[in-house]
Amino acid sequence: MQRLASGIAILLATSACTTMEVHDGMPIVTEPMVAPILTTPEAQDNLTYAEPEKARVTHVALDLALDFAAKRVGGTADLRILADPGEERLVLDTNGLEISRVTDHVGRDLTFEIGEQVEEGGKGAPLIVMLNGVRNVRIHYMAPADAEALQWLSPEQTAGGEYPFLFSQGQAILNRTWIPTQDSPGIRQTWEARIIAPKPLDVVMSGVAQGEPEDLGDGRRAFRFIMDKPVPPYLIAIAAGDIDFRAIGPRTGVWAEPTVLPRAHAEVGDTEEMVVAAEELYGEYRWGRYDMIVLPPAFPYGGMENPVMTFLTPTFIAGDRSNNGLVAHELAHSWSGNLVTNAVWGDSWLNEGVTTYFENRIVEAVYGKKRAEQEAALMYANIQEVLGEVGNDAPGTALSTDGGYELGSAIAYDKGAFFLRTVERIVGRERFDAWLRQWFDNHAFQPATSEMFYEDMMQNLVASEAEAQALMLRDWIFAPGLPSNVAKPDPAAFAEVDAAVAAYADRRTIPTAYPNWTAAEQMRFLDNLPATLSAEQLAELDASLGLSDTGNNEILFLWLEMALENRYAPAVPLAEEFLARVGRAKFVRPLFGVLWDQGDWGRPIAQRIYAKTHDTYHAVTRAGVDRVMAAD
């Protein structure tokens, strides 16, 4: 059960701040949407310096200029503050920001200090502002050239090769390296921005664009954006470069570099259908438009669910929409993650696990049950693989953790999804869908915790004590391992493929049906081949199945991983080319890990490649590779 700090609750009811909307050409004054702050012990975020129960940010207004030559962004951030009566201390999160001045809304200086820097985990340093009775604060600042949230690309690192590019990645706590605010998922904020960029670059953000850009007459243009719904601050995102737009449906479209746009548009052509399917499942899409931008390959993730502007890696483009589960996933975040957000990062399964379940339901609605079941079976295999490596009792295999565990996607994403699949199987799809829809409706634009999720299930879903025992809810959420009631995927989903794996293991028979298999079937086959293979066997697989020439990066990754694990020298040039053009951490980190594990054979290769690629990777990807290559 959520509750508000008492002083702020009073202020919420009496706030005079307003926003303006326009209807039929007439302005309409509306009250701003202010999200609650959770104050229960499990909602306390130890990755923020903020004290939101005393003084919190409710709105951020950015006025920033992009300097591509210096690789810096700077300007002002105006913060609207909600505070207890008499509270004079505002605590913000920063990491490397150069603060030159802090004032009130009329330009009077406010006293401030920057506290001790904490490098571990990227927590940074607190910015403490003495409010002196005001509730609107302006911060004049410059972000550092090495701000971890920002990736500045040279023209050579783009598809067009003519103009530079910028993109941000804020999750989990990186936005404090370019925005001074309370950087916690439980402190939701509305925001707006004015961004100045050099011509002819275009700017997009995770807010709604406001008209055409303003020509400033000095070779620069100003772009304006508004997000009038409170979002966690990690979802404030920006991209700027030589990009064009192409519509998909009445509320969907895609941005990309001009040379990439035709392929990108063809790949995401099912997006409008996905939005319709998602709404039929769990209610209205509440963000207006759903646009996407396909970024250069340096983007460290498959996708990022920034509201109204999903960021996507180009590595998902396969030419046959076989990797469009990624689009379904980021779209599903518009409900689970963006609409209802984990209050602390130890509960990130509330974002990712619920979204992965929702993604699979969208895939089923758009592409059919067979594909959905196959993709679910791949997820289940991921869970089994991780549990086999770390053990069923490893504390990081619980869904709700203290946030300090890094076991990849198999737990928060896949175990979370199988938790909901299991609940659906036990109570029935109709009841489960009605419950999940009301969860989104009743907690819209609010933070949540695992305890809240559990209590809501007990109050609004579970029909009897016997059903509660059958569901094993607390075991799923708070205990390690995989509960005994897990709804396992249909073994028939990959019956033909698993038979082919067995035939190859026994007789080295290469399946002639492989070219006609789905991408999921091909991945299942490659991922289950014997661990040890000779150079001759690898060469035969490559020649027969066309692995080195595949246009699907997921399959190419599996092939390179298998080849490098077996020290297959002919694959090294392809691996080097792949690692030079792709910055997605999901691919980069494991391949460097495989090379590093190969000792005297692989480590010199890894060092040589990383010396060339280090500066082209986002900070998130570099950090992962650095950890791998620091291992003994």
Side-chain angles (χ1 to χ4, degrees), residues 169-389:
Q169 172 53 43
Q171 193 178 23
I173 59 170
L174 297 182
N175 267 359
R176 64 189 65 182
T177 66
W178 75 289
I179 302 172
T181 188
Q182 293 174 325
D183 190 13
S184 170
I187 310 175
R188 301 178 72 108
Q189 304 153 24
T190 55
W191 63 270
E192 60 190 283
R194 176 178 180 264
I195 305 294
I196 297 174
K199 292 180 178 180
L201 304 186
D202 281 308
V203 178
V204 296
M205 292 191 75
S206 52
V208 179
Q210 302 298 294
E212 294 298 316
E214 175 190 1
D215 194 323
L216 301 181
D218 59 356
R220 302 184 303 165
R221 294 185 296 172
F223 299 76
R224 294 180 182 271
F225 305 89
I226 289 179
M227 174 49 66
D228 64 352
K229 300 171 178 64
V231 296
Y234 71 86
L235 290 178
I236 304 176
I238 187 171
D242 178 21
I243 51 177
D244 289 337
F245 174 79
R246 186 174 296 180
I248 299 167
R251 55 182 165 174
T252 53
V254 61
W255 291 82
E257 292 186 73
T259 59
V260 178
L261 187 56
R263 291 190 301 122
H265 183 264
E267 200 76 8
V268 299
D270 297 328
T271 303
E272 188 73 32
E273 186 179 353
M274 288 184 180
V275 177
V276 172
E279 288 186 315
E280 290 175 351
L281 284 167
Y282 299 125
E284 176 191 3
Y285 177 77
R286 308 184 194 211
W287 304 90
R289 291 196 57 82
Y290 183 77
D291 291 326
M292 299 158 283
I293 179 170
V294 176
L295 296 168
F299 184 59
Y301 295 119
M304 183 61 207
E305 62 272 17
N306 302 309
V308 310
M309 188 62 66
T310 281
F311 285 17
L312 294 171
T313 172
T315 63
F316 88 101
I317 298 175
D320 59 3
R321 303 183 182 178
S322 58
N323 293 330
N324 274 13
L326 172 65
V327 178
H329 184 92
E330 306 310 333
L331 169 62
H333 267 304
S334 301
W335 286 260
S336 49
N338 297 2
L339 192 65
V340 186
T341 310
N342 48 246
V344 294
W345 290 112
D347 279 341
S348 62
W349 79 273
L350 288 173
N351 284 16
E352 301 298 352
V354 178
T355 291
T356 303
Y357 169 83
F358 193 170
E359 165 202 339
N360 196 249
R361 293 291 301 278
I362 295 172
V363 168
E364 179 180 328
V366 176
Y367 298 112
K369 190 170 182 63
K370 177 182 178 182
R371 176 166 166 176
E373 284 301 310
Q374 288 182 340
E375 293 184 5
L378 293 178
M379 286 188 268
Y380 187 75
N382 290 340
I383 304 170
Q384 297 292 84
E385 182 179 354
V386 166
L387 293 179
E389 292 173 357

Side-chain angles (χ1 to χ4, degrees), residues 472-486:
M472 303 176 66
L473 299 180
R474 294 201 71 86
D475 286 344
W476 270 102
I477 299 172
F478 300 106
L482 201 59
S484 59
N485 69 344
V486 60

Side-chain angles (χ1 to χ4, degrees), residues 423-548:
V423 175
E424 178 210 318
R425 185 81 56 88
I426 291 172
V427 305
R429 178 167 282 192
E430 183 176 354
R431 276 179 59 200
F432 179 78
D433 283 351
W435 173 80
L436 189 53
R437 180 183 284 228
Q438 70 80 36
W439 166 261
F440 292 139
D441 289 343
N442 293 335
H443 298 86
F445 305 110
Q446 297 180 27
T449 66
S450 289
E451 284 288 352
M452 290 170 59
F453 196 83
Y454 167 77
E455 291 294 339
D456 201 284
M457 279 189 153
M458 291 297 296
Q459 293 175 16
N460 298 314
L461 176 64
V462 177
S464 65
E465 179 60 31
E467 190 171 74
Q469 292 180 1
L471 288 168
M472 303 176 66
L473 299 180
R474 294 201 71 86
D475 286 344
W476 270 102
I477 299 172
F478 300 106
L482 201 59
S484 59
N485 69 344
V486 60
K488 297 180 181 179
D490 184 356
F494 284 121
E496 178 186 354
V497 177
D498 291 343
V501 170
Y504 186 85
D506 290 342
R507 303 180 298 277
R508 295 300 186 260
T509 303
I510 296 177
T512 57
Y514 177 92
N516 299 318
W517 284 346
T518 65
E521 289 170 328
Q522 293 178 357
M523 287 187 277
R524 174 80 167 202
F525 177 76
L526 295 174
D527 207 27
N528 287 277
L529 290 177
T532 302
L533 294 169
S534 68
E536 291 76 14
Q537 291 164 343
L538 290 165
E540 184 181 20
L541 282 169
D542 190 19
S544 300
L545 305 181
L547 300 176
S548 293

Side-chain angles (χ1 to χ4, degrees), residues 64-115:
L64 304 174
L66 308 181
D67 186 340
F68 281 85
K71 297 183 178 179
R72 305 191 73 179
V73 57
T76 61
D78 288 5
L79 309 180
R80 187 181 302 155
I81 311 304
L82 190 59
D84 279 336
E87 180 61 44
E88 294 299 330
R89 194 168 175 269
L90 172 68
V91 185
L92 306 173
D93 295 303
T94 71
N95 190 357
L97 299 182
E98 299 172 10
I99 311 297
S100 59
R101 189 183 180 199
V102 180
T103 70
D104 63 13
H105 63 288
V106 295
R108 293 174 297 201
D109 285 322
L110 297 175
T111 301
F112 71 93
E113 64 174 315
I114 298 176

